[in-house]
Structures are given as structure tokens and as C-alpha cells.
Amino acid sequence: MLIVKKFGGTSVGNVERIMNVARRCIEDYRKGHDVVVVLSAMGKTTDDLIAMAREVNENPSKREMDMLLTTGEQISVSMMAMAMGALGVPAVSLNAFQVAMHTTHKYGNARLKRIDTDRIMNELDQRKIVIVTGFQGVDKYDNITTLGRGGSDTTAVALAAALRADACEIYTDVDGVYTADPRYVKNARKLEEITYDEMLELATLGAGVLHNRSVELAKKYGVQIVVRSSLNENEGTIVREVTNMEKMLVSGVAVDKNASRIALIGLKDEPGIAFHLFHALSKYNINVDMILQSVGRAGTKDISFTVTEDVADEAVAILQKSFPKSNYEKIDVEKKVVKLSVVGAGMMTNPGVAANMFEALYDCGVNIKMISTSEIRVTVLIDESSMEKAMNAVHEKFALAD
Amino acid sequence: MLIVKKFGGTSVGNVERIMNVARRCIEDYRKGHDVVVVLSAMGKTTDDLIAMAREVNENPSKREMDMLLTTGEQISVSMMAMAMGALGVPAVSLNAFQVAMHTTHKYGNARLKRIDTDRIMNELDQRKIVIVTGFQGVDKYDNITTLGRGGSDTTAVALAAALRADACEIYTDVDGVYTADPRYVKNARKLEEITYDEMLELATLGAGVLHNRSVELAKKYGVQIVVRSSLNENEGTIVREVTNMEKMLVSGVAVDKNASRIALIGLKDEPGIAFHLFHALSKYNINVDMILQSVGRAGTKDISFTVTEDVADEAVAILQKSFPKSNYEKIDVEKKVVKLSVVGAGMMTNPGVAANMFEALYDCGVNIKMISTSEIRVTVLIDESSMEKAMNAVHEKFALAD
């Protein structure tokens, strides 16, 4: 069996943890399996390097940033190979160019194009554990690229696909995927299985234990992922196309606190006004999420939309610059809001989910500010102050703890 | 003009110093020159990485050690490129595989075989400053190698040769090469010029401001080196084949404190005994430097030799294991000794140097324990306690301060 195992920065955060991960990987090796390990940078290494870069240049070149940050994973993988060596198991570390991991040349956010498997297979044939740097690649001119934050998950899934691995295990600091965040919902339950689409919705909502692109990639190539904890031996959550479980209507409740609502009140009701508005924002790479247009007073309209909280002020500034003050009454920004979602593949064939969710919220007195839906998700925007109450009410309503 | 500039770890030890080096390199760039910068790892990075490695494995794989350590230079070069970017100058960092720097596969002590110049020339043609990682290379299987401690000097000289650079400047924390260590000899004088052979003798003697192999390489390819300080604008010392100076008999006085004398007293005077002795040591990779054989009492002989201090105890243990106690009377180890040398290309044609040196030592009451010579060097072994006195006496004798 060929197993790809990915460990995040926390799991290799110090020398002791590196030894623990080494021991864990060696168990599978000693059973006769081929083991490929994908690692992120140790603990806060990436953040420290970013901070150091900002000291010399507030707006550093993305190419040089990738050159700098990729040293983090190279340190992890060589340390891990040494740790395994100390435990008597032959191991070899490989960085992106040694593998090679070919990517597009978009620094900071490159896409994997192709992975050469010769070197890895060759090392596995010599009964070595192969340890690969996550997160990084090389473009066609040998420049070093990175896959964006969380890209190590993508590396692991892509490697599993390229190597036709029998298993792809993503180790994290939680046991798996839960029906809700256990910090807020006491009786949240770990899911045994979840579909790619459900996982994608959860990842997009910020409840993600997995990097979004890694799930897309796993879906595309049919790579079955197991999400489990590096801190204990508990069974994790399996992510795959069709789950064996009785189809639950709803798999989980997710919240995304990184949301702000911007409202333009009293906009002139002219054709093209919405286009101009969202065009101005997209020019500055500001992603808009939920959108609501309603009829305002006296021949005007109101447009509200959500953006991530960190760009809310920028979005307002752009709007003030793009629209003469005479075109609208005022701009409102609300930052203390959260997106609350229920996600479930079973929803597709069952129309009652939204209504049930709204009922649960109504019963506990939570006001809904905006609504959006997809085939397998219903999302509402609510006040941050009622988040915990709302989560528990919805979790209860769909009997997720049972 | 194409200039290669090499800065050591101290010169890029923190963000402020990186900015200083960036400014210094930009001066040449703004004059219209092509500038290639070679950097070591920042400050104590390499030592810190070694210490971390030892925490997981006391005897780590050399391959993995090279994989780990080479992250140090990659951090330096990307930081430097960002620093130059902040100063408005386009710069690009390249590591050994991007250049590429082809080496043998002897991890930890690889030799440069060939340097591709296409990428560097291409970047220079776009009027970028090119910043290259010192110390590292790749073998023919894309494994990462290192050139051994101080290897960044070698990288710089090899690059200067490959690029047919017009100048190769090695920046260090001293102004250049002195007639003696100014900490011990107050009126030591900075040399304007020195030959490769003289520099090699000085480097070997531990007085080296330059890595030995870099000087050999510079000699082989006729690369003229300038050694100067990164902390001030003083003219440095030029290292080249033939100096323009009036040929001085002696260029400098050097000391090497890393020496111990081992003496086997009362060895049986049998054929082959010296062979067995030094063969035993060479089997364990122990380098022997000065050797003295003398007639002992009653048909025995004494053999003394020097080794570096760190292997003295190991050498003694090897001898005790290799020779039955009946073959000799006793083994003496003396660690508080230093090698004192005078070096000068002029010596070749002038036989009086050794005699003058001995006279100076005699006049100040310093006892000579061993003597060895090369074409351009006379070395004596003396007590460490008389080192400073001896240095000053010899410096004076050859009028080096004038």
C-alpha cells in the first residue's frame, strides 16, 4: 500500500513533535507500506519570515517572498529525515524542484500543473520514506512558487493522485470534521464521512479543516482523503464522493466570522448602477459574496452585499471614489456580523431545510439580515452576538448530535 | 564592468546590515556596472540550524544536513533582493539549482564542477542585480550539496571566473590582509597587495581572511580578488599573481593557535616504525603537520609531530591502540603551543629569512620546539605563552611596520 501523509505546521512545531510524527510514519513503514510524507513549515516559521521581510520592504516582490517562505518547508523535511534516521529508518527529503512539482508562475498563488513521480518512486523502491515539501513548486523557468496559504493540503492530494496512492491522510490538530465547532456547540459530533461537495462548502465557509483547492483536486481525481488528528489515534473523517452513511439531510453547521455587510442606501434607480458598483470592486480584486437588492424609498433602491472583514474599509473607500455623492444617500458598514450555514448533500432532494433553519432561528429570536443558498447549503447573515445561540438552535433542530 | 561582490554572514547579520549592503551594491549598479552579489547565511543562522539538527539526531545524514543548511543562504538572498527592491533597484535572487552550480556529490564538502551562466547573464541583461546563494550547489541527481565552511568565497571566485568578471570583491569584517594580527602586533600594517601563494600560506595557517580553496581557484583562473571591509570604505588588499610592489622579503607574520604537539619518546629504532605510526593516523583521517624525528637514548628514537588541537586526544588514543606499550617509553602531548610563521614570495630567492627569524626569537628568549619550511614560508612551533612577544619580535625584525 502507498500512503501519503500530510502534517501541518503545528504537528511539526518543535523537535519533540517532529520525533512524534516520525514515529507515527514509521509504524506504517514497518508494516511494509510505502510512505510519502508531506510537511508544512514548522510552527510559526512562515509568519516569522513574513515579518522579517516586511522589515526591509513593506511591499516585497512576490517572487522573492516565495523564495524566502519556501525555506520553511525545506527545514521541516530535512529535520524530519534526520529524525527518522535517528530512529533507524532510511528517509530522504525532497523539495519542489527535486520532485519536481511543476506549477504556473503566479507567485504566491500558483497552480500545480504536473508532478514528476520518477524520483519519488525510485526512492520508495529503495525502501526509503520520502518526505516532500508542501506548499511549493517551480515554474518553467525554475523560479520557486507557492500554492497559497494551506497549499500543503493541495500538495498532498496532488501527490496522492500522481502516485496513485491507496490512501491520503491529512493530519491536523482536530479529530476530523464535526457537525459544528465544538467550542460553541457542546454536543457537536464528529462525522465518519462527508462528501467532497459538503467539504467544499464547509471549507469555503471558513469551517474548513481542509484547504479548498485540495478538496476540488481530490474530487477531480477521486482521491479519498482521511482527516485525522496528529495528537491521538482516533479514527478521523473520510472525505469521498459517495458516502455509505444513511443520507443525512444536513451534515453540519458552519460559521464564518470573517464577514462584513456593506449597504448602499437610496441609490438612484438607473440601469447599470449595479454593474458599475460591482465592476469597481472587482477591478480592485475585492470579492463580493452575498448580494441583496431591495426597493428603497421614492424611486431609489438599496444594495447590500458582504465582503470579508479585512477588505471592508477598502471597499467603502472604492465606492466613495467611484460614485459621486449625489448618486446615493449613504453607505452603511456592519462588521459585527457572521455567516451561519447548514450544509448537506441530502438537501438537494429535500426542499424543507431552509424553512426548518429559519424556524429554528425565529424560535430563538435571531434576526436574519441576508440569505443565500446553493444546492447543498443555506446561509444566513446574522448578528455576531447571537452566533452561539443560533448555532445551537440549528444544530438541535436538525438533530445533529444524535 | 561586471563586478562580483561577496558578503559574509556578519555583513548580512540583521535587517539593518542587509540594507547597508544593499545600498553599497546599488552604488556600483547606478554607475552602470553589472553587479552579481554572493551571500552567506545571515549571522549565526548556520550554527543555529546545526544545533537544531543535533537535537533530533546526533549524527545526522550529511545529505539532509546540506538540505537543511542551504536554507540559510536562500533566506539571505531573498531578503537582499527585497531590500534592493525597497531602494528602487530591480534585483533577483537565485539559489544553486537556479543558477545552476554543478558540484560533485560529496555532501558537506562538494567541489564545484561547472557553473551555468545563462540565467545570470540573462538577468544582468535586463539590468537586474543578481544575488546568488554562496556555499551551495547541486549534484547531477539534483541533490543539494555544500562546499564546506567558508565555501561562499569559493562560490564568488568561481562565479567571477565563469562570468569573466572584471572584479571580485570579498567583503569581510576586516580592512584587508595585515602584516600580522593587529590584536597582538600594535603596529601591524595593511598590505596593498599579496600574491596567491602568500595568501594560501596565510589561509592554511589560520590567519586567513579568505577560504583556502577560493584562493586556489582564483590562482588557477587568474581571478584578481580584493579583500575589503563591509563596514567602511577603506581600500582593501589585492590578491593577484604578481604584485607591483617592490618585492618584500616577507609579507606577514601569521600564527595558528589550533595546534598540539604529540611526541613518542623512546621508540624502538626499527625499520617501518614511522610508516606504521602515520599510517595508523591517516586511516582515521587525522592530518599530521610538522614532523620531527630525532635520535633518542640507547638505540631508540623520538618522533614528534603536530596535529590540530581538536583531534590531539583522538590521535593519542589511536597510537595507544596501534602500538603495544613495549614499543615505546611514553607519549607526550603538549597543547599550549602555537605555530608562528613568516610568509613571503621574496623568500624564494633569499636564503637569509629563516636565520633572521631564529635570531629574532633568540634575542627575545623564545625557545623553538619544531621547524618546518616551504618555498615561501618558515614556521616554528613555540609555547603559546610567548606568542605575542615572538610575533612582535619577528614583525620588528623584518621591518614590516614600515
Side-chain angles (χ1 to χ4, degrees):
Chain A
M1 212 162 105
L2 197 163
I3 306 172
V4 174
K5 298 164 102 71
K6 181 258 166 180
F7 295 87
T10 315
S11 303
V12 293
N14 57 42
V15 164
E16 194 190 346
R17 290 184 183 176
I18 286 175
M19 291 305 292
N20 279 336
V21 168
R23 276 184 212 102
R24 189 139 192 178
C25 295
I26 284 172
E27 281 173 28
D28 280 331
Y29 173 86
R30 292 212 198 278
K31 287 176 193 158
H33 299 312
D34 287 328
V35 178
V36 175
V37 183
V38 175
L39 298 182
S40 303
M42 289 171 65
K44 296 276 162 226
T45 309
T46 305
D47 293 334
D48 292 347
L49 289 172
I50 290 173
M52 189 166 74
R54 301 241 182 265
E55 278 186 67
V56 297
N57 192 331
E58 281 183 21
N59 188 22
S61 136
K62 284 186 175 164
R63 180 194 183 277
E64 298 305 330
M65 207 63 191
D66 283 357
M67 187 85 172
L68 179 68
L69 296 184
T70 48
T71 60
E73 294 82 39
Q74 190 164 321
I75 291 173
S76 302
V77 295
S78 51
M79 288 291 290
M80 185 60 71
M82 291 179 201
M84 291 179 178
L87 298 169
V89 170
V92 60
S93 68
L94 298 175
N95 65 17
F97 108 85
Q98 289 169 325
V99 166
M101 296 265 185
H102 303 278
T103 70
T104 60
H105 66 277
K106 185 163 187 191
Y107 300 120
N109 199 24
R111 300 253 160 184
L112 279 166
K113 284 163 58 185
R114 186 168 47 85
I115 297 178
D116 297 341
T117 55
D118 288 0
R119 174 74 188 257
I120 294 178
M121 293 311 291
N122 185 25
E123 301 284 0
L124 290 175
D125 285 346
Q126 296 173 50
R127 282 302 285 153
K128 288 186 195 163
I129 294 182
V130 179
I131 309 157
V132 178
T133 50
F135 176 65
Q136 57 187 253
V138 282
D139 74 7
K140 63 180 169 183
Y141 302 110
D142 285 345
N143 293 305
I144 295 176
T145 57
T146 62
L147 308 180
R149 279 257 160 170
S152 291
D153 290 349
T154 307
T155 303
V157 172
L159 265 176
L163 296 166
R164 299 174 189 282
D166 301 285
C168 180
E169 302 173 350
I170 309 275
Y171 288 81
T172 145
D173 47 4
V174 294
D175 276 355
V177 184
Y178 277 76
T179 52
D181 189 330
R183 283 174 301 176
Y184 303 119
V185 178
K186 290 284 165 287
N187 54 0
R189 189 174 46 81
K190 190 178 68 197
L191 294 163
E192 280 175 44
E193 302 183 317
I194 189 169
T195 67
Y196 296 122
D197 287 335
E198 288 171 328
M199 194 67 234
L200 276 174
E201 290 285 7
L202 291 173
T204 313
L205 287 163
V209 281
L210 283 179
H211 195 237
N212 215 328
R213 269 159 59 195
S214 67
V215 183
E216 284 169 11
L217 205 64
K219 186 182 176 189
K220 184 170 173 188
Y221 292 101
V223 174
Q224 181 173 312
I225 302 174
V226 181
V227 179
R228 55 193 301 189
S229 169
S230 62
L231 308 172
N232 61 48
E233 297 280 340
N234 296 352
E235 292 296 323
T237 300
I238 298 169
V239 189
R240 59 177 156 202
E241 188 59 56
V242 179
T243 64
N244 297 325
M245 302 174 68
E246 277 177 81
K247 208 156 236 170
M248 287 178 61
L249 204 57
V250 168
S251 292
V253 178
V255 286
D256 182 1
K257 292 201 242 182
N258 186 15
S260 289
R261 182 173 78 150
I262 298 175
L264 277 100
I265 312 288
L267 262 176
K268 277 192 188 158
D269 193 6
E270 286 167 1
I273 199 115
F275 163 72
H276 284 302
L277 197 163
F278 294 112
H279 181 68
L281 292 173
S282 80
K283 251 193 348 196
Y284 290 90
N285 279 319
I286 290 181
N287 273 321
V288 170
D289 185 22
M290 305 164 90
I291 299 176
L292 184 78
Q293 179 174 317
S294 53
V295 177
R297 288 169 303 143
T300 66
K301 59 186 176 188
D302 303 340
I303 292 184
S304 320
F305 57 90
T306 60
V307 296
T308 54
E309 200 170 326
D310 48 319
V311 297
D313 293 334
E314 194 189 346
V316 170
I318 290 166
L319 294 177
Q320 286 169 335
K321 214 172 53 183
S322 310
F323 284 89
K325 187 73 192 71
S326 58
N327 285 320
Y328 61 93
E329 252 168 57
K330 61 171 180 164
I331 300 182
D332 262 358
V333 187
E334 229 178 333
K335 292 187 178 175
K336 296 219 167 295
V337 290
V338 299
K339 290 193 287 183
L340 175 77
S341 305
V342 290
V343 173
M347 228 181 261
M348 276 191 278
T349 49
N350 193 317
V353 170
N356 276 330
M357 183 182 187
F358 302 158
E359 186 181 10
L361 294 173
Y362 172 75
D363 285 347
C364 69
V366 173
N367 186 37
I368 299 172
K369 293 167 177 281
M370 292 174 88
I371 301 170
S372 85
T373 60
S374 81
E375 277 197 314
I376 62 164
R377 174 181 53 77
V378 180
T379 301
V380 296
L381 193 75
I382 59 173
D383 268 335
E384 193 176 323
S385 58
S386 44
M387 178 185 84
E388 208 163 330
K389 179 168 67 174
M391 283 175 82
N392 279 284
V394 173
H395 198 262
E396 183 90 358
K397 185 77 177 178
F398 292 102
L400 291 174
D402 305 333
Chain B
M1 209 161 107
L2 198 164
I3 307 173
V4 173
K5 299 164 101 75
K6 181 258 167 179
F7 295 87
T10 315
S11 305
V12 292
N14 57 41
V15 164
E16 194 190 347
R17 288 184 184 176
I18 286 174
M19 291 305 293
N20 279 336
V21 169
R23 276 185 213 102
R24 189 138 191 179
C25 295
I26 284 172
E27 281 174 30
D28 280 331
Y29 173 86
R30 293 213 197 276
K31 286 178 194 156
H33 299 311
D34 287 328
V35 179
V36 175
V37 183
V38 175
L39 299 182
S40 303
M42 288 171 67
K44 296 277 161 224
T45 309
T46 305
D47 293 334
D48 292 346
L49 290 172
I50 290 173
M52 189 165 74
R54 300 242 182 264
E55 279 186 67
V56 296
N57 193 330
E58 282 184 19
N59 189 20
S61 135
K62 284 186 174 163
R63 180 193 183 279
E64 298 304 330
M65 207 62 192
D66 283 357
M67 188 83 172
L68 179 67
L69 296 185
T70 48
T71 59
E73 294 82 38
Q74 191 165 321
I75 291 173
S76 302
V77 294
S78 49
M79 288 290 291
M80 185 61 71
M82 292 179 201
M84 290 179 179
L87 298 170
V89 171
V92 60
S93 67
L94 299 174
N95 65 17
F97 109 85
Q98 290 169 326
V99 167
M101 295 267 185
H102 303 278
T103 70
T104 59
H105 65 278
K106 184 162 188 192
Y107 300 119
N109 199 22
R111 300 251 161 187
L112 279 166
K113 283 163 59 185
R114 187 167 48 84
I115 298 177
D116 297 341
T117 55
D118 287 1
R119 175 74 189 256
I120 294 177
M121 292 311 290
N122 186 23
E123 301 286 0
L124 289 175
D125 285 347
Q126 296 173 50
R127 280 302 284 154
K128 288 185 194 163
I129 294 182
V130 178
I131 308 156
V132 178
T133 50
F135 176 65
Q136 57 187 252
V138 282
D139 74 7
K140 63 179 166 181
Y141 302 110
D142 284 345
N143 293 305
I144 295 176
T145 57
T146 62
L147 308 180
R149 280 258 159 172
S152 291
D153 290 350
T154 307
T155 304
V157 172
L159 266 176
L163 296 167
R164 300 175 188 281
D166 301 286
C168 179
E169 303 172 349
I170 309 275
Y171 288 81
T172 142
D173 48 4
V174 294
D175 277 354
V177 184
Y178 276 75
T179 52
D181 188 330
R183 283 175 300 176
Y184 303 117
V185 179
K186 290 285 164 288
N187 55 359
R189 190 173 47 81
K190 191 178 67 196
L191 293 163
E192 280 175 42
E193 301 184 317
I194 189 170
T195 68
Y196 295 121
D197 287 334
E198 288 171 329
M199 194 66 233
L200 275 174
E201 291 284 7
L202 290 173
T204 313
L205 287 164
V209 280
L210 283 179
H211 195 238
N212 214 327
R213 268 159 59 195
S214 67
V215 182
E216 285 168 10
L217 205 65
K219 185 183 176 189
K220 185 170 171 188
Y221 292 102
V223 175
Q224 181 173 313
I225 301 174
V226 181
V227 178
R228 55 194 299 190
S229 170
S230 62
L231 309 171
N232 61 47
E233 297 280 341
N234 297 351
E235 292 296 325
T237 299
I238 299 170
V239 189
R240 61 177 156 203
E241 189 59 56
V242 179
T243 64
N244 297 327
M245 302 173 68
E246 278 177 80
K247 208 156 234 168
M248 287 177 61
L249 203 55
V250 167
S251 292
V253 178
V255 285
D256 182 2
K257 292 201 241 181
N258 185 17
S260 289
R261 181 172 79 151
I262 297 175
L264 276 100
I265 313 289
L267 262 176
K268 278 194 188 155
D269 193 7
E270 287 167 0
I273 199 114
F275 164 71
H276 284 300
L277 195 163
F278 294 113
H279 182 68
L281 294 172
S282 79
K283 251 194 348 198
Y284 289 89
N285 278 320
I286 290 182
N287 273 321
V288 171
D289 184 24
M290 305 164 90
I291 298 175
L292 184 78
Q293 178 175 317
S294 53
V295 178
R297 286 168 306 141
T300 66
K301 59 186 175 185
D302 304 340
I303 292 184
S304 322
F305 56 90
T306 60
V307 296
T308 56
E309 201 170 326
D310 48 320
V311 298
D313 293 334
E314 193 190 346
V316 170
I318 290 166
L319 293 178
Q320 286 168 336
K321 214 172 54 183
S322 310
F323 283 91
K325 186 76 191 71
S326 59
N327 284 320
Y328 62 93
E329 252 167 59
K330 62 171 182 166
I331 300 183
D332 263 357
V333 187
E334 231 179 332
K335 291 186 177 174
K336 296 219 166 298
V337 290
V338 298
K339 290 194 287 183
L340 174 76
S341 304
V342 292
V343 173
M347 231 180 259
M348 277 192 277
T349 49
N350 194 316
V353 170
N356 276 331
M357 182 184 187
F358 302 157
E359 186 180 10
L361 295 172
Y362 172 76
D363 284 347
C364 68
V366 173
N367 187 36
I368 299 173
K369 292 164 177 286
M370 292 175 87
I371 300 169
S372 86
T373 60
S374 81
E375 275 198 315
I376 62 165
R377 172 183 54 79
V378 180
T379 301
V380 296
L381 193 76
I382 59 173
D383 269 334
E384 192 176 322
S385 59
S386 43
M387 179 186 84
E388 207 162 330
K389 179 168 67 175
M391 283 176 79
N392 279 284
V394 173
H395 197 261
E396 182 91 357
K397 186 77 177 180
F398 291 103
L400 291 174
D402 305 333

